[in-house]
Amino acid sequence: MTELKNLERELDRFRLRVLAAAAFVLIGFGLLTARMVYLQVVRHEELSTRAESNRIAVVPIVPNRGRIVDRNGVVLATNYTAYTLEITPSKIDDLEATITGLAEFIDIQPRDRRRFKRQLDESKSFESLPIRNRLTDEEVARFIAQRFRFPGVEIKARLFRNYPLGSVGSHLIGYIGRINQSEKAAMENWEDEAQANYRGTEYIGKLGLEQAYESQLHGTTGFEQIETSAGGRAVRRLASLPATPGNTLVLSIDIKLQALVEELFGDRRGALVAIDPRNGEVLAFVSKPTFDPNLFVDGIDVDNWRELNESIDKPLLNRALRGTYPPGSTFKPYMAMAALNAGKRAPNTIINDPGFFMFGGHRYGSPENERGGAMDMRRSIVESSNVYYYTLANEMGVDLIHEQLLPFGFGRKTGIDMEGEVTGLLPSTEWKRKAYKRPEQRKWYAGETISLGIGQGYNNFTMLQLSSAMATLSSGGQRFEPRLVREIEDLVTRERKGVASKAIEPLPLKPDQVSVVLQAMNGVTTGGTSAKVFAGAPYLSGGKTGTAQAVGIRQNEKYSAARLTEHLRDHSLYIAFAPLDQPRIALAVIVENAGWGSAAAAPIARRVFDYLLNNQYPSVEDIALTQKGQSVAPVGASRTVESVPLPSGPGNSAALGPVTAVAPVTGAASGASGAAPGTVSSQPANAAATPTTPGTAVTAASAPVAPRPVQAVARPAASGASR
């Protein structure tokens, strides 16, 4: 039977389907319209910015790092540009094969591979890393001819740090190195503006002034806006803001004096710090042995790093800043000043010195050559009587000694404009209670006070502290925080801003009491332990020799340098100031394991004074004798400072040419000078750093981070002589 369709029902179904389809279409169009409104209206600004950013790439322009010059304008740290061969690991499938292929026509040494691997471990895979630095023009040409074979490899122009004088002043200047992961993590806590200023920067100051004045030396990062194609290829430059180069640091240091002192040390270890007591400016800041910071420019190789890091002489240790030593008899003038200020001794108080001091059944000795006898305060300093200061320490007690000498800067940081300074140790009963855990160790014993009087026992100070204390005493109580940088020059405006040492509230010392101590120190140089060294000096000065034990000796045991290895022998110290009436220089010097203070340390101080006060440079013969610890008063025909050429070092770069001097800085110390005529080229002090092509990658130098050196601490002696 034929089934008849219900036409009306079919039409209803059709209409329902049409309505459903129409509703679906309307809903779809509604959704599209809503989405379009959302994107075009609600998120218009956000998406427009994102689209623009996809079209425009912002490329940072790293600034030229500022230069460092001495007080006379001699360049100590500068920059030069060179080509580097760089690899972006993320763009390469087989990194080892790529390096091997490059080595077929580019000289890539094993040390280059090791440095690249170390940097790869410390960096992100999308960063461009150098496999070879300072390519020659021939190597650049060879790579360009083969470039099609090596996607992800390119030539870049980079800015390298150079230290023209090599190892001279290396602990003072420091060096820069690649930013490591811990430093990157620390940067995340910086202000946004500071973080933005380091976009594109791969290197940062690691030690010395390079580290302390990083913000001044770095400069301000610029940028370029580049329009790019969909494939990321640069089409055109839309806008740019040039980088502002870092500022120039003008130091208070006279680098020729610095080099002379380093030469006078020879192969010996030690430190010297010279300060102008009138304003706190540091005139010389020496730590020996030194190192060549240029070794770190390309990333130091394993052999050189092992030699520096494992050497028994610890060349990476800044002894002037971080080495602490017992001051020996150089402590006696401060003990005398403390006794006068506290009313414990009068200048004419007589103490009998039989050559030893007995306390609690323990014998405290004196040097075998000490004459002894009746000692007043002047004679006790001139002849360096131990017994006088044993009895004085016993009378004062450790806490009064601490109270009187802490204001001179002992046992606390001086505030010098360099990072890493240590506090040293000026003991007290409170210190010992906090320093030790066991009850019997926390107790202060009266016998421990005795050795403090002659600068032994727990006393340990840096040469910076001793020099600063000498400046305070010689100026009658005037105090400053020592400063290494005297001016900062803006390379754009050519404006120089002085960096004055921070004045600290003066010590309320009585002039007549200060005069007693300073006149006694003058007696040391005219008839005392350093009289032979200062014989014939055309100026009056004051000083105090010291010999500090590096290891303790047993009771009644005699000291014999011949029986000890060189590193266990006594240290030679000297503190001094000059001229006597209006001091302009105060210094402290130590020659490690060199014995008597008058034999090794005092001759170096004499030649520093001759340089600054008499414009006198020692003869070659005299320098050789001083290096061996065999000199007293200068011998041979001395030279004028101007006649001696500037020091040179292995760090001179072909890109820089000869060592460059700039116009002298006004206000230089008496006797300071530039190079002899004809020895160096000259250029303005505010000459701009080497320019680079806009848009090229620019960095400073490649150097690993040196681990923080171990603090050198000479152990306090239980007892014994201090000369």
Side-chain angles (χ1 to χ4, degrees):
M1 178 181 287
T2 303
E3 181 179 357
L4 296 175
K5 293 184 179 181
N6 188 329
L7 186 58
E8 190 65 29
R9 187 169 57 185
E10 290 295 328
L11 287 173
D12 289 340
R13 288 179 180 176
F14 177 75
R15 292 188 188 99
L16 183 61
R17 289 170 185 164
V18 171
L19 287 174
F24 179 79
V25 171
L26 289 174
I27 291 173
F29 272 105
L31 291 174
L32 289 174
T33 302
R35 181 63 176 172
M36 182 179 67
V37 171
Y38 174 73
L39 295 177
Q40 293 292 334
V41 178
V42 178
R43 298 187 59 191
H44 174 269
E45 185 175 351
E46 175 191 349
L47 297 177
S48 176
T49 302
R50 187 182 298 180
E52 190 69 10
S53 65
N54 290 334
R55 182 179 71 89
I56 300 174
V58 179
V59 180
I61 304 174
V62 180
N64 290 357
R65 193 170 180 85
R67 298 186 306 168
I68 302 176
V69 302
D70 85 332
R71 68 186 300 129
N72 298 311
V74 179
V75 177
L76 309 180
T78 187
N79 313 298
Y80 69 94
T81 53
Y83 289 112
T84 64
L85 183 65
E86 305 205 1
I87 298 175
T88 305
S90 62
K91 298 180 180 180
I92 296 176
D93 296 329
D94 192 337
L95 192 59
E96 196 61 38
T98 298
I99 296 175
T100 301
L102 291 169
E104 295 175 1
F105 55 92
I106 300 291
D107 182 20
I108 299 178
Q109 296 292 326
R111 65 173 179 272
D112 298 320
R113 293 173 180 261
R114 291 193 296 267
R115 184 182 65 245
F116 179 82
K117 185 178 184 302
R118 182 175 63 250
Q119 293 177 356
L120 181 62
D121 293 338
E122 297 175 353
S123 305
K124 299 176 182 179
S125 61
F126 56 80
E127 292 180 343
S128 175
L129 302 174
I131 184 66
R132 250 296 305 280
N133 293 320
R134 291 183 283 190
L135 297 176
T136 64
D137 292 341
E138 183 180 350
E139 287 175 324
V140 172
R142 285 202 298 262
F143 172 76
I144 291 175
Q146 301 288 328
R147 185 173 185 175
F148 67 94
R149 295 172 47 194
F150 301 99
V153 183
E154 57 185 333
I155 297 284
K156 287 187 177 181
R158 287 191 181 268
L159 194 65
F160 289 88
R161 200 65 163 164
N162 180 267
Y163 304 96
L165 304 187
S167 63
V168 177
S170 57
H171 289 283
L172 163 74
I173 301 166
Y175 62 85
I176 64 174
R178 182 177 286 271
I179 299 173
N180 58 35
Q181 293 300 324
S182 62
E183 289 165 335
K184 290 179 180 178
M187 285 180 176
E188 294 178 359
N189 297 323
W190 290 6
E191 298 289 338
D192 292 342
E193 184 177 350
Q195 291 189 46
N197 194 38
Y198 274 77
R199 285 188 58 192
T201 300
E202 299 178 7
Y203 301 88
I204 199 169
K206 298 291 185 180
L207 291 176
L209 294 173
E210 292 276 25
Q211 178 187 32
Y213 283 85
E214 170 64 28
S215 60
Q216 293 287 346
L217 291 167
H218 178 265
T220 304
T221 299
F223 70 89
E224 283 186 331
Q225 287 185 338
I226 306 296
E227 184 178 2
T228 60
S229 64
R233 185 181 300 275
V235 176
R236 58 175 175 149
R237 182 189 303 167
L238 299 177
S240 67
L241 177 67
T244 303
N247 296 329
T248 297
L249 301 184
V250 182
L251 308 187
S252 59
I253 298 291
D254 182 340
I255 200 62
K256 190 182 289 189
L257 173 62
Q258 177 91 8
L260 170 62
V261 175
E262 291 179 5
E263 185 178 9
L264 291 172
F265 269 93
D267 295 330
R268 300 172 296 177
R269 301 169 303 281
L272 177 145
V273 179
I275 296 176
D276 188 335
R278 299 169 299 177
N279 52 29
E281 289 186 353
V282 180
L283 306 174
F285 190 87
V286 174
S287 175
K288 284 284 291 186
T290 57
F291 63 92
D292 184 2
N294 289 291
L295 292 173
F296 294 90
V297 170
D298 291 338
I300 191 168
D301 60 79
V302 174
D303 293 336
N304 279 319
W305 173 248
R306 183 181 295 113
E307 182 179 352
L308 289 174
N309 198 41
E310 298 179 3
S311 170
I312 192 174
D313 292 332
K314 292 181 170 55
L316 293 178
L317 171 64
N318 189 334
R319 285 169 163 81
L321 190 74
R322 297 184 56 78
T324 62
Y325 309 87
S329 290
T330 63
F331 199 57
K332 292 174 180 176
Y334 302 103
M335 285 291 297
M337 192 68 244
L340 292 171
N341 198 47
K344 288 293 184 179
R345 286 273 171 92
N348 56 358
T349 300
I350 301 297
I351 301 295
N352 183 51
D353 180 358
F356 63 90
F357 178 72
M358 297 299 299
F359 184 84
H362 191 91
R363 181 188 177 98
Y364 294 84
S366 294
E368 294 178 0
N369 62 343
E370 188 177 292
R371 287 181 289 179
M375 295 284 173
D376 62 7
M377 185 169 287
R378 174 183 169 82
R379 190 182 176 199
S380 74
I381 294 175
V382 173
E383 298 187 13
S384 199
S385 168
N386 275 6
V387 172
Y388 186 95
Y389 292 96
Y390 288 145
T391 61
L392 178 58
N394 187 46
E395 292 174 18
M396 292 183 67
V398 59
D399 286 332
L400 182 57
I401 294 173
H402 182 274
E403 176 189 328
Q404 289 291 322
L405 296 186
L406 186 65
F408 282 93
F410 293 115
R412 62 184 181 187
K413 296 180 180 180
T414 65
I416 193 171
D417 50 339
M418 185 182 290
E419 297 183 23
E421 181 183 5
V422 298
T423 59
L425 176 58
L426 180 66
S428 65
T429 54
E430 181 183 2
W431 161 79
K432 198 175 184 189
R433 284 196 300 269
K434 294 179 179 179
Y436 294 95
K437 295 182 179 179
R438 293 165 54 186
E440 63 273 19
Q441 292 177 318
R442 301 174 66 185
K443 181 181 178 181
W444 185 272
Y445 297 94
E448 294 176 311
T449 308
I450 307 302
S451 293
L452 299 182
I454 62 167
Q456 296 287 164
Y458 291 106
N459 286 326
N460 269 287
F461 312 123
T462 66
M463 287 306 104
L464 177 60
Q465 288 172 329
L466 281 171
S467 178
S468 180
M470 186 73 266
T472 298
L473 180 59
S474 64
S475 64
Q478 191 174 13
R479 297 186 294 174
F480 294 94
E481 289 185 351
R483 279 293 175 270
L484 293 161
V485 175
R486 68 184 319 200
E487 289 181 321
I488 298 177
E489 180 187 7
D490 189 307
L491 203 59
V492 177
T493 64
R494 303 294 192 264
E495 179 184 355
R496 284 190 173 186
K497 180 181 179 182
V499 183
S501 300
K502 180 181 178 181
I504 307 173
E505 183 179 355
L507 296 184
L509 304 179
K510 296 180 180 178
D512 57 330
Q513 294 178 346
V514 173
S515 179
V516 169
V517 177
L518 298 186
Q519 289 294 334
M521 294 182 72
N522 174 241
V524 173
T525 67
T526 57
T529 52
S530 64
K532 292 182 179 179
V533 174
F534 283 86
Y539 49 83
L540 294 178
S541 67
K544 184 69 192 79
T545 55
T547 306
Q549 293 176 349
V551 294
I553 59 175
R554 296 185 181 89
Q555 185 177 1
N556 298 324
E557 181 182 358
K558 290 185 177 180
Y559 171 81
S560 174
R563 294 202 304 264
L564 295 173
T565 60
E566 193 266 345
H567 279 75
L568 297 179
R569 296 172 186 168
D570 288 348
H571 302 313
S572 173
L573 295 98
Y574 194 68
I575 59 171
F577 66 93
L580 179 63
D581 52 349
Q582 294 181 334
R584 285 187 281 156
I585 311 106
L587 62 78
V589 55
I590 184 169
V591 184
E592 290 184 10
N593 313 116
W596 298 95
S598 58
I604 295 177
R606 163 71 192 270
R607 282 135 187 92
V608 171
F609 288 168
D610 286 348
Y611 179 103
L612 290 171
L613 301 177
N614 204 37
N615 199 37
Q616 182 177 322
Y617 203 98
S619 66
V620 174
E621 175 189 2
D622 188 63
I623 291 175
L625 289 173
T626 304
Q627 289 174 339
K628 299 175 183 177
Q630 298 174 358
S631 66
V632 281
V635 299
S638 62
R639 300 163 282 178
T640 62
V641 171
E642 293 83 4
S643 68
V644 180
L646 286 166
S648 60
N652 291 345
S653 168
L656 285 173
V659 178
T660 305
V662 297
V665 179
T666 57
S670 173
S673 72
T679 59
V680 294
S681 61
S682 179
Q683 68 181 39
N686 51 14
T690 306
T692 56
T693 305
T696 57
V698 181
T699 67
S702 174
V705 182
R708 187 176 296 276
V710 178
Q711 179 179 347
V713 178
R715 297 296 180 188
S719 65
S722 177
R723 282 80 70 185

